[in-house]
Amino acid sequence: MPVKIYTDDDETNSIDHDIPKYSLCLFPLRSNLREKITNFVSPRSAFESFILLAIVLNSISMGCVDFSYIDENYQPRSDISARNYVIERAEIVFNAIFLLELILKSIAYGFIFGRRSYIWRDNWNKLDFVIVLISILGMTPLIPNLSFMRACRVLRPLRSISKLPGLRKIIGAVVDSLEDLFNVVVLLGFLLVCFSIMGVLFWKGLFHARCRVTPFPVKFPANCRSVKEPCWEPFITDVAIYPDNYRCLPDDNDNNSWTQPTSPWFLKGPQDCFWPIDTTDYRTCGLGGFGMNKCEGTISFENELIYRSCGSNYDAFGNPRFVDSNEPFGYPRMKSGVFNEELNWGFSNYDNFFSAFVTSFQVVSLEGWTQVMYMTNDAWMLVPSIVVYVTLIMVGGYIVLNLVLAVITGSMDNLEEEEESEEIETKEVNIERRSLVQRLSSHASVFISKRNVRIMRFVNNPKFVDFMMLCIVLNTVVLGLDHYQISDDMASILENLNMLFSAIFAVEMTLCIVGIGLKAYLSDPILCFDAFIVVTSLIEIMMTLIDPFGAGSSGLSVLRSFRLFRIFKMAKKWKSLHNLLKTMYATVLEIGNFAILLILFIYIYALTGIQFF
């Protein structure tokens, strides 16, 4: 008789030729020791649950390392930190556990020879082997404890994926859909490239335009070169009132007859000047009269009204007007027009393809895209810019994202179909046993129906079902009539009605138990939920009758809060609502797998950040 080997797909698959006859060249296939170890490390054994618990505890311990005590290599020290000392000793225990798992599974399945050996039976086992190997090497005295080896430990939480079927299914679907996902990524990249090229074509240089307090750039005085000096505010006031006294170049700011090499800002080079900004207005402005922000209106300097103008630190051809010095602002002078939080510190622009691509990706990611759109509205035309950004958001932010979800969902459906096809043979083998169980169940149901036919007919009568539904609705209305500053008479009426409904629900529960039997009643989760509500209601009524003056106690208030769950009794009576809740429950379970996977990767990135940064 062949030895039964537990595999990830079927706990009772028979041994085949892919299992090596000798594992580790020592343990024969049909030896009692190897068979016991195989059963001990089977996928649904207590040993696997223990390994999963060890992975979780090890992951938590890695997140508790105290990096406030580090050595010259920026690694945590255990000689002066008690927490690090405990974690370091626990690391030895965890490594021993994982090494024991590797040895036992190598004995059970063979290490490397054979397609169903430990290494080749599952790709996750390869990851487990690499992590265990690096961990053991890191503990070896002859090998230095390199930061690379410590960094590889953050991958240990990934081992939990191999222990949880739901996560394995999601990862498998993502891997199988990589080819189709690549096509979606190419589509998104093509969209971003097109939008970036269009942005460079229409919006290059526009995001540097700001409202200025002078109509042209001005020079610095010889004795005032920093905004932190006391002379700066009087200087700006004098510049705003008498700008001609500080004019940087006698030429115009821009001229349509110029070209890039004939512009004075190119011929004379960047000047040691600057262009004062209206610090009360953080928006971009429209050069040439375009855009929502035209810098209209005035500002006051010592009771003098100053007309603002829109200008840029670059001329119309992209030539820089000023020397890129940290004077007078403490940061590069050419960034003075965009170096603020409202304008994303100058990173969002369409001056070149790379910056345009990053900005377009920011828009598609839906992170701060409205601020980029507002910047474009202020510097360019309102309606066209809104149309362009909304189109990019709809196509790149929603349609392409849904394509990614559709590809992954399709891959998951294909995996489910493959699993179902693999289970067909097992179902056919057990079909006779199931039919026998069904025949026995049918005989038992016939016996029950003969014994309590009248009660079951009464409980399943449509009129009785409608009556119970009406009682649930009326009970819900009664619960909703409770309010603050309720009179004693009203409270007494509501309490009596509640007792009446509790009695009706208790009678219904008793009829169901007598009709189908206590064992069958308790086997239905919905009926058990009904019983829980009825029992808590009866306990509450008895406590009220025993101690009428203790109606406001916290324990009784908790029991009364369970009355609210009577509303969910409608799910049992209302078939469509019942089916909807079942669908929502199944959806929550699937979302739970995605949530666990997301939390797992966030935790791994957090550990990586702690290790390197």
Side-chain angles (χ1 to χ4, degrees):
M1 181 176 180
V3 178
K4 299 296 183 181
I5 298 294
Y6 291 89
T7 66
D8 296 337
D9 302 323
D10 187 357
E11 290 188 3
T12 58
N13 282 343
S14 296
I15 190 70
D16 55 32
H17 297 290
D18 295 327
I19 300 293
K21 294 182 179 181
Y22 284 87
S23 61
L24 303 181
C25 301
L26 295 174
F27 303 96
L29 180 62
R30 303 183 186 278
S31 66
N32 292 330
L33 177 61
R34 184 174 178 183
E35 182 178 357
K36 291 179 180 179
I37 293 177
T38 301
N39 294 331
F40 181 72
V41 299
S42 61
R44 293 178 178 85
S45 64
F47 179 76
E48 283 295 296
S49 301
F50 172 73
I51 293 297
L52 179 60
L53 177 62
I55 293 172
V56 173
L57 294 178
N58 185 217
S59 301
I60 294 175
S61 68
M62 287 190 296
C64 296
V65 175
D66 186 2
F67 275 87
S68 59
Y69 302 98
I70 57 176
D71 56 19
E72 63 276 5
N73 296 321
Y74 301 99
Q75 299 303 315
R77 296 181 59 178
S78 59
D79 54 343
I80 58 176
S81 173
R83 188 201 306 177
N84 291 344
Y85 178 82
V86 173
I87 294 175
E88 189 175 280
R89 293 300 177 268
E91 189 75 19
I92 299 175
V93 177
F94 288 125
N95 287 338
I97 292 174
F98 299 142
L99 179 61
L100 176 63
E101 178 197 14
L102 173 63
I103 295 174
L104 291 179
K105 290 187 175 180
S106 297
I107 295 174
Y109 308 125
F111 179 65
I112 195 171
F113 298 106
R115 289 194 303 135
R116 300 294 293 170
S117 61
Y118 172 74
I119 291 296
W120 301 112
R121 69 191 291 111
D122 192 343
N123 290 327
W124 292 105
N125 290 346
K126 300 175 185 177
L127 176 64
D128 293 350
F129 172 72
V130 172
I131 295 175
V132 171
L133 178 62
I134 293 177
S135 301
I136 299 301
L137 291 177
M139 295 173 56
T140 305
L142 299 179
I143 298 179
N145 192 7
L146 302 177
S147 59
F148 166 75
M149 292 186 176
R150 298 187 62 90
C152 291
R153 297 178 186 177
V154 303
L155 299 177
R156 284 183 183 172
L158 285 177
R159 299 189 66 218
S160 60
I161 296 178
S162 62
K163 313 298 180 183
L164 300 175
L167 299 186
R168 288 169 58 94
K169 180 180 177 181
I170 296 175
I171 295 297
V174 173
V175 172
D176 291 342
S177 61
L178 286 179
E179 182 178 353
D180 294 330
L181 286 177
F182 176 76
N183 296 329
V184 176
V185 171
V186 171
L187 175 62
L188 178 61
F190 176 76
L191 177 68
L192 293 178
V193 168
C194 293
F195 188 82
S196 302
I197 294 175
M198 186 197 70
V200 174
L201 181 63
F202 289 102
W203 302 326
K204 60 177 180 293
L206 292 186
F207 289 0
H208 296 276
R210 292 287 302 280
C211 292
R212 316 281 176 161
V213 298
T214 61
F216 39 74
V218 295
K219 298 179 180 179
F220 289 98
N223 58 350
C224 194
R225 302 283 299 183
S226 174
V227 295
K228 297 180 180 180
E229 297 181 15
C231 61
W232 185 260
E233 291 297 332
F235 163 64
I236 290 296
T237 300
D238 193 54
V239 164
I241 298 175
Y242 307 105
D244 291 325
N245 296 339
Y246 301 89
R247 185 161 188 155
C248 181
L249 289 180
D251 305 280
D252 296 335
N253 297 329
D254 291 295
N255 194 305
N256 294 331
S257 62
W258 294 345
T259 60
Q260 192 272 337
T262 61
S263 170
W265 300 102
F266 178 81
L267 296 174
K268 299 178 181 180
Q271 302 294 308
D272 188 19
C273 304
F274 78 108
W275 203 341
I277 298 173
D278 179 10
T279 57
T280 63
D281 189 347
Y282 291 98
R283 300 160 58 191
T284 57
C285 60
L287 295 170
F290 295 102
M292 292 291 296
N293 186 14
K294 297 180 174 59
C295 297
E296 297 174 343
T298 59
I299 55 176
S300 176
F301 281 91
E302 293 188 355
N303 298 324
E304 292 284 342
L305 295 180
I306 304 300
Y307 288 94
R308 303 184 302 168
S309 61
C310 182
S312 172
N313 291 345
Y314 299 86
D315 68 5
F317 306 99
N319 297 313
R321 301 182 192 270
F322 315 124
V323 177
D324 199 12
S325 169
N326 287 338
E327 291 181 338
F329 305 106
Y331 52 84
R333 192 183 308 175
M334 290 302 300
K335 292 185 177 181
S336 61
V338 295
F339 199 77
N340 59 70
E341 184 177 1
E342 287 75 11
L343 301 181
N344 294 333
W345 307 104
F347 291 106
S348 298
N349 61 75
Y350 294 90
D351 294 348
N352 52 68
F353 177 80
F354 178 77
S355 299
F357 190 88
V358 173
T359 305
S360 302
F361 182 79
Q362 175 188 351
V363 173
V364 170
S365 67
L366 306 181
E367 183 65 31
W369 73 274
T370 54
Q371 181 62 30
V372 179
M373 185 182 68
Y374 294 152
M375 292 165 59
T376 310
N377 293 343
D378 291 333
W380 201 54
M381 294 178 284
L382 175 64
V383 176
S385 61
I386 292 178
V387 171
V388 170
Y389 280 101
V390 170
T391 302
L392 180 62
I393 287 296
M394 293 299 296
V395 177
Y398 292 107
I399 295 179
V400 174
L401 177 61
N402 289 330
L403 283 176
V404 172
L405 297 178
V407 169
I408 297 177
T409 303
S411 180
M412 292 184 65
D413 293 339
N414 294 334
L415 288 178
E416 290 178 355
E417 292 177 358
E418 293 177 0
E419 292 176 358
E420 291 176 358
S421 62
E422 292 176 357
E423 293 175 357
I424 290 178
E425 295 183 0
T426 305
K427 291 181 180 180
E428 291 177 352
V429 171
N430 297 327
I431 189 170
E432 294 184 0
R433 182 182 302 175
R434 293 181 180 178
S435 62
L436 178 60
V437 173
Q438 291 175 357
R439 287 197 297 270
L440 293 176
S441 301
S442 63
H443 290 317
S445 62
V446 170
F447 173 75
I448 293 174
S449 64
K450 289 180 179 179
R451 186 182 63 180
N452 301 300
V453 60
R454 292 183 179 180
I455 296 178
M456 295 188 66
R457 285 180 179 177
F458 177 76
V459 172
N460 295 324
N461 189 287
K463 293 183 179 179
F464 181 77
V465 174
D466 294 339
F467 171 73
M468 294 305 302
M469 178 68 74
L470 178 63
C471 290
I472 295 172
V473 174
L474 293 177
N475 183 226
T476 304
V477 175
V478 170
L479 293 175
L481 292 177
D482 193 11
H483 57 276
Y484 181 61
Q485 294 182 340
I486 188 173
S487 64
D488 293 340
D489 294 337
M490 186 65 177
S492 178
I493 293 174
L494 296 181
E495 191 65 29
N496 291 332
L497 289 175
N498 177 64
M499 291 184 180
L500 175 62
F501 288 122
S502 298
I504 293 174
F505 297 142
V507 171
E508 180 202 18
M509 181 186 71
T510 304
L511 292 176
C512 290
I513 293 176
V514 174
I516 64 176
L518 181 61
K519 185 176 181 180
Y521 185 88
L522 295 178
S523 63
D524 190 333
I526 298 180
L527 294 178
C528 290
F529 180 72
D530 290 348
F532 172 76
I533 298 174
V534 172
V535 171
T536 53
S537 300
L538 295 178
I539 294 175
E540 175 218 336
I541 292 174
M542 287 189 296
M543 292 179 63
T544 304
L545 294 177
I546 294 173
D547 184 13
F549 300 100
S553 63
S554 58
L556 192 58
S557 300
V558 172
L559 291 176
R560 285 184 173 178
S561 65
F562 287 114
R563 297 179 184 177
L564 301 175
F565 292 108
R566 293 178 183 174
I567 300 174
F568 293 99
K569 288 170 66 67
M570 298 176 63
K572 183 183 71 173
K573 309 294 182 182
W574 194 347
K575 297 300 181 183
S576 58
L577 179 61
H578 177 69
N579 295 333
L580 179 60
L581 291 177
K582 289 178 62 178
T583 304
M584 292 175 61
Y585 176 73
T587 304
V588 169
L589 293 180
E590 292 294 332
I591 293 177
N593 292 327
F594 279 99
I596 293 174
L597 185 63
L598 177 62
I599 293 173
L600 184 63
F601 276 99
I602 291 176
Y603 189 74
I604 290 174
Y605 275 104
L607 293 178
T608 305
I610 293 175
Q611 182 64 41
F612 288 105
F613 310 121

